[in-house]
Amino acid sequence: MISDLNRRDFLRGTAAAAAAALSAPALAQSAPITLRIVTSTPKELYDKLCADFTQKRPDIRVTVDTPSPDYDDLTLRVLRASITGDIPDVAFQGFNRINLLAQRDLAIPLDPFINAEGDLASLGYQPSLFDMAKVNGKTVGMPFAVAAPTLFYNLDLVEKAGGNPDKLPTEWPDIISLGRKIRTQGGGIMGLHYAYIGHSGAWTWMALVMSQGGSIMTPDEKDIAFEGPEGLWALEMFKQFGQAGQIEMSLDQTRQAFSGGMMGILGTSNSYLRSAEKAAAGHFRIRTTNLPLKPNGKLPTGGNAAMLLTRDPDRQKAAWDFVKFMTGPDAQTKLVNTTGYIPANSVAVKTPDLLGKFFADNPNAMVGVEQLPILTAWPGFPGENAIKITDLIRDHIQSVVTLHREPKAVLADMVRDVRALLPQA
């Protein structure tokens, strides 16, 4: 028989257990959600922006995986994670690989979230950039960092070579000629280097083809379209780069050479701008320009878009709020100040306290913004061999730059080899 004291203790214990059981779901629900994101470099930028986000939203934590060196490596990581069941919540994926993840049914369509927000244009989101993150009519990415192929000039070396820093060449023959003159200064000074190693997805090669009005793929994306004169011209350009003294270097090595004042002209992404200007400050002057284009020419949009990969509804809501922050005016302002990317949010550009004054005072950064009208989708090859195809193209280009093979023969082999790796009807 239970005594009154024991009965009271028993009832108090039972009530406490019941209260704990009832409050457990509420406590679990109020616990912070931790989002895991994967990116390419620079990790410091993502770490800083994620810290800013968690200050505003302490109920959502964000961890950043070790960054991939490029978008191709990032794509492979996501694909492997989908097999092992370790898929991240958000991936900042290169524009050219968005379709690959969507084809694997890994990308979460964002249209329901976008429709719930209402008028995205008033929030600074540009429809033209959204088109680059669509697959089969569905939006699967929010543009975050926008890059354009850009020429960087060391004006001091240009001047020493007899060039005019205030009137830089606007056509490739003159650019290559100036690069040759810069190289003759000796002392290990390099003239012109058009980087293709290290830029994923054959981006800078595509830029040459498309700058002439050419296309990489047919409109239905079932066959290649670069076998014509524009494709041959692009390879002829790489031959001329090699003849002008371009040597094989990694992307990091080329940028180190330019930052160290040992290279006159470098073709690379405008995302390098902040690093280049910081390194050059007090040592030499820098100016950036667009690539030469034909009237019907376009350039492929580099950079990335934030993609939701988690299938958990609660995590999706948290991830969407995170992505909105990352693509919003404040985060975009820090993105531009830290790198050289073109902001994907027009509110940041138009607001004087954010980027309005910054662009007015930094003409090199404004070059990227002025390129927006000529930027178009970054083509991605379809099928499971997508990354293998761009690796193959890089190897073919290498044989031309190193002057081992002629462009016409390489183009024929490139066309044959790429077609063999495309999905067969």
Side-chain angles (χ1 to χ4, degrees), residues 241-258:
F241 298 152
Q243 291 173 331
Q246 176 164 323
I247 59 177
E248 295 297 273
M249 302 168 68
S250 71
L251 185 59
D252 284 344
Q253 288 172 329
T254 62
R255 291 180 173 182
Q256 288 169 8
F258 188 88

Side-chain angles (χ1 to χ4, degrees), residues 121-173:
S122 65
L123 299 177
Y125 297 104
Q126 303 177 59
S128 61
L129 293 179
F130 265 90
D131 289 342
M132 300 175 193
K134 287 185 176 182
V135 177
N136 295 327
K138 294 181 180 180
T139 305
V140 294
M142 290 282 282
F144 170 67
V146 179
T150 302
L151 293 177
F152 288 73
Y153 287 86
N154 179 325
L155 296 184
D156 290 26
L157 293 180
V158 168
E159 197 166 38
K160 289 178 182 178
N164 184 349
D166 296 319
K167 193 176 181 181
L168 295 172
T170 58
E171 300 296 336
W172 277 116

Side-chain angles (χ1 to χ4, degrees), residues 122-326:
S122 65
L123 299 177
Y125 297 104
Q126 303 177 59
S128 61
L129 293 179
F130 265 90
D131 289 342
M132 300 175 193
K134 287 185 176 182
V135 177
N136 295 327
K138 294 181 180 180
T139 305
V140 294
M142 290 282 282
F144 170 67
V146 179
T150 302
L151 293 177
F152 288 73
Y153 287 86
N154 179 325
L155 296 184
D156 290 26
L157 293 180
V158 168
E159 197 166 38
K160 289 178 182 178
N164 184 349
D166 296 319
K167 193 176 181 181
L168 295 172
T170 58
E171 300 296 336
W172 277 116
D174 298 326
I175 294 169
I176 293 172
S177 176
L178 177 58
R180 289 178 181 273
K181 292 176 182 177
I182 292 172
R183 185 168 173 252
T184 61
Q185 295 177 40
I189 297 294
M190 289 171 271
L192 165 67
H193 190 104
Y194 186 77
Y196 72 97
I197 296 175
H199 281 299
S200 61
W203 183 54
T204 50
W205 164 76
M206 290 182 179
L208 291 178
V209 176
M210 296 167 68
S211 72
Q212 301 301 295
S215 299
I216 305 302
M217 298 292 292
T218 55
D220 61 6
E221 296 188 346
K222 292 183 178 181
D223 194 14
I224 58 97
F226 59 81
E227 75 272 37
E230 298 88 2
L232 180 59
W233 179 88
L235 290 178
E236 290 283 1
M237 291 303 302
F238 278 109
K239 177 182 178 180
Q240 292 184 46
F241 298 152
Q243 291 173 331
Q246 176 164 323
I247 59 177
E248 295 297 273
M249 302 168 68
S250 71
L251 185 59
D252 284 344
Q253 288 172 329
T254 62
R255 291 180 173 182
Q256 288 169 8
F258 188 88
S259 294
M262 299 298 290
M263 183 179 291
I265 309 169
L266 172 60
T268 186
S269 168
N270 63 340
S271 62
Y272 167 57
L273 180 59
R274 294 277 81 74
S275 295
E277 289 185 331
K278 183 178 180 180
H283 302 287
F284 58 92
R285 297 164 293 159
I286 288 178
R287 187 162 300 158
T288 61
T289 68
N290 298 332
L291 298 190
L293 285 97
K294 282 190 173 182
N296 63 336
K298 294 286 186 180
L299 293 176
T301 304
N304 65 61
M307 303 181 71
L308 268 62
L309 304 180
T310 177
R311 296 193 176 276
D312 179 88
D314 290 334
R315 300 181 73 79
Q316 285 180 1
K317 292 176 183 177
W320 172 249
D321 287 345
F322 168 68
V323 166
K324 280 194 301 180
F325 170 80
M326 294 292 279

